[in-house]
Amino acid sequence: MLVICVLVCTACASCSLKGASRSDSVDVPYTEVEKTNVQIRVQTTGELRSTHSAMLTAPAIAGGTLQLVRLLKMGTEVKAGDVVFEFDPSEQEYNLEQNRSDYQQANQEIIKAKDDALVQAAQDQTALLKARFDVRQAELEVSKNDLVSAIDAQKNQLALDEANRALAQLRQDIQSHAASGQATVAVDEEKAHKAQLAMEQAEQNIKNMRVTSPIDGVVVVRQNQNASGGFFFSGMTLPDFQEGDQVNPGSAIADVIDVSQMEIAARVSESDRVNVKTGQQVEIRVDALPDKVFYGKVKTVTGSGVAFSFGNDSGKSQVTIQIDHADKDVRPGFTAHLQIIGEEVNDALWVPREAIFEKGGSPSVYARTEKGFEPRLIQIRYVTGGIAIVSGLRQGTQVAVVNPEQAAKRSLNSSGAGPTNGIGQQ
């Protein structure tokens, strides 16, 4: 809606009818074109939104629901890094202790496995020395075979073969013992690594239980979608999250809104669009905060706009308003009433909107002359629901506020005779 603020108070006299021109049976009411100083104001409504916000969610931790044990109140101001809400960490603390115990046990098993491997290696080295000694001794006995009987020589050879076989078997056993010891240590190390990862995950989960804000702003607590048990019906109002609630992992709990970067999305009619420009001052009143007045500027305007519409002005242009200084009570989604302050126009000529008609697809008025009312093309600078600021006319020109051509036709239809003064004749 466009509002014209009259700076020189002649509005009431200007809008009143000056008289009626009578031609035989046709009365045509008219008014005069007046000159005054005006300021253009466009009124509309919009919805607040934030251009900089952060959504805070419950940590994605497997194992069921989480319990809120701390939650800042709606509207609390926070700085980046401040804790906004916190969950009960007792289950994760229990998991941490369990995993720490498993980690310590695995480390003890690694130590024991390595010690057992060292003992086994020492025993194998002792056995290897003995086996080598047995082979050497058997070789010495075989070297005497030329001096002993054939039976003793055969015995000596059998003893050497047995010593060599025992040495070879011992070497295989030593390799097997080493591989087994390494495998045991590797298994224990894997247990320790797994327990360590579980510890780190539990520690991270405990840390994630404290959800902090990434930006400076104001806390806006969300509605608890789980409170309805999954059932919704028209008009149902869900409660906000509060301390003690059970929350599913990943659920959005709150938002942090940077109120220093709030804006309003609004729409204006196409006829008002021509009067809205970027940078214009805006007075803002929020329904939810009736005692406060905010100020801002027009940030963006879409569409080209038109100066006048003869039909239903259903077209809308998008307007974005940047709020200069919002406070912590301002919330996204609030409805705001806007008054966009346009330019001042001095010595403006204006007429009632009902005095403007479409003629050949262009805006026209019917100016009163000695011969009757004649159509004249005009240019419309600004328009409102009841007033249009125009050019192409002179101050004091008398213009009809009803279409004289249609009035003549109605008179003709009602009386059966046509007009005698040529009203509206082209």
Side-chain angles (χ1 to χ4, degrees):
M1 178 189 297
L2 181 67
V3 178
I4 303 294
C5 290
V6 181
L7 305 181
V8 177
C9 299
T10 60
C12 294
S14 301
C15 290
S16 62
L17 296 181
K18 297 298 182 182
S21 174
R22 180 177 178 84
S23 297
D24 293 341
S25 60
V26 180
D27 290 333
V28 180
Y30 62 89
T31 187
E32 290 184 359
V33 177
E34 295 286 346
K35 181 181 288 187
T36 188
N37 298 334
V38 298
Q39 183 176 58
I40 309 302
R41 291 175 181 257
V42 176
Q43 289 184 342
T44 185
T45 59
E47 183 176 296
L48 281 90
R49 65 189 183 188
S50 176
T51 59
H52 188 207
S53 63
M55 181 176 67
L56 305 183
T57 62
I61 297 175
T65 60
L66 306 172
Q67 185 176 15
L68 272 171
V69 295
R70 179 188 175 193
L71 175 62
L72 296 183
K73 294 181 179 180
M74 180 83 75
T76 303
E77 296 184 31
V78 294
K79 298 291 185 181
D82 289 349
V83 177
V84 178
F85 52 88
E86 186 175 354
F87 296 95
D88 181 9
S90 57
E91 182 177 352
Q92 295 302 317
E93 289 173 347
Y94 172 79
N95 291 339
L96 175 62
E97 291 304 317
Q98 266 311 103
N99 294 321
R100 182 177 286 115
S101 176
D102 293 342
Y103 177 72
Q104 292 173 348
Q105 181 177 353
N107 281 330
Q108 291 298 322
E109 290 177 353
I110 291 172
I111 294 173
K112 181 177 182 301
K114 289 181 177 180
D115 290 343
D116 291 345
L118 290 175
V119 171
Q120 183 65 52
Q123 293 175 348
D124 289 341
Q125 287 300 318
T126 300
L128 181 61
L129 290 174
K130 183 177 183 303
R132 287 175 177 172
F133 176 79
D134 292 342
V135 170
R136 182 58 181 163
Q137 187 176 20
E139 288 175 345
L140 291 175
E141 293 297 326
V142 170
S143 65
K144 300 177 183 178
N145 282 346
D146 293 339
L147 303 175
V148 298
S149 64
I151 294 176
D152 289 337
Q154 187 175 8
K155 289 180 179 180
N156 291 338
Q157 187 61 47
L158 290 174
L160 177 60
D161 293 341
E162 177 62 22
N164 284 325
R165 184 197 63 77
L167 178 61
Q169 181 64 46
L170 181 58
R171 285 174 174 167
Q172 290 181 359
D173 291 343
I174 291 174
Q175 292 179 352
S176 178
H177 293 161
S180 177
Q182 291 175 357
T184 300
V185 171
V187 170
D188 293 337
E189 287 178 342
E190 182 60 27
K191 289 181 181 179
H193 180 65
K194 183 178 179 179
Q196 184 178 19
L197 291 178
M199 282 174 54
E200 293 173 353
Q201 183 63 58
E203 289 173 344
Q204 186 62 45
N205 288 344
I206 293 172
K207 181 179 179 181
N208 291 343
M209 293 289 186
R210 295 165 56 87
V211 180
T212 60
S213 173
I215 61 173
D216 296 352
V218 173
V219 175
V220 177
V221 179
R222 291 202 172 200
Q223 291 181 332
N224 186 355
Q225 301 291 336
N226 299 326
S228 65
F231 296 97
F232 298 91
F233 54 84
S234 178
M236 181 177 182
T237 301
L238 296 175
D240 293 339
F241 280 104
Q242 57 186 347
E243 294 178 358
D245 284 348
Q246 296 292 325
V247 178
N248 291 324
S251 298
I253 307 300
D255 297 283
V256 176
I257 307 298
D258 185 354
V259 295
S260 66
Q261 300 188 44
M262 295 289 288
E263 66 180 21
I264 302 172
R267 291 182 177 273
V268 296
S269 65
E270 288 300 323
S271 58
D272 287 343
R273 164 62 182 85
V274 73
N275 305 310
V276 180
K277 299 177 177 62
T278 57
Q280 288 177 331
Q281 296 292 323
V282 183
E283 185 178 288
I284 305 164
R285 295 182 182 274
V286 180
D287 283 347
L289 306 170
D291 298 330
K292 295 185 178 181
V293 179
F294 302 95
Y295 297 92
K297 294 182 178 65
V298 176
K299 182 179 179 182
T300 60
V301 187
T302 63
S304 59
V306 294
F308 190 74
S309 175
F310 294 103
N312 292 326
D313 192 15
S314 58
K316 294 288 185 179
S317 293
Q318 182 74 40
V319 179
T320 302
I321 310 299
Q322 181 70 51
I323 302 179
D324 290 339
H325 300 288
D327 61 26
K328 67 177 183 179
D329 295 324
V330 174
R331 300 282 184 277
F334 280 0
T335 299
H337 296 275
L338 311 174
Q339 187 164 206
I340 302 172
I341 303 172
E343 60 185 291
E344 293 184 7
V345 182
N346 296 321
D347 296 329
L349 296 173
W350 60 318
V351 297
R353 181 166 176 167
E354 58 264 26
I356 302 176
F357 305 94
E358 181 182 8
K359 194 72 174 176
S362 300
S364 305
V365 298
Y366 286 92
R368 187 171 181 239
T369 67
E370 293 179 355
K371 297 180 180 180
F373 288 93
E374 296 179 352
R376 292 185 186 177
L377 294 177
I378 60 171
Q379 293 79 43
I380 299 178
R381 299 174 63 186
Y382 306 101
V383 69
T384 179
I387 297 171
I389 299 175
V390 300
S391 59
L393 294 173
R394 291 182 179 180
Q395 183 179 7
T397 301
Q398 295 175 339
V399 295
V401 294
V402 297
N403 191 322
E405 295 177 349
Q406 294 179 358
K409 290 179 181 178
R410 286 195 295 269
S411 177
L412 176 63
N413 293 334
S414 62
S415 65
T420 60
N421 69 336
I423 293 177
Q425 300 299 314
Q426 303 299 316

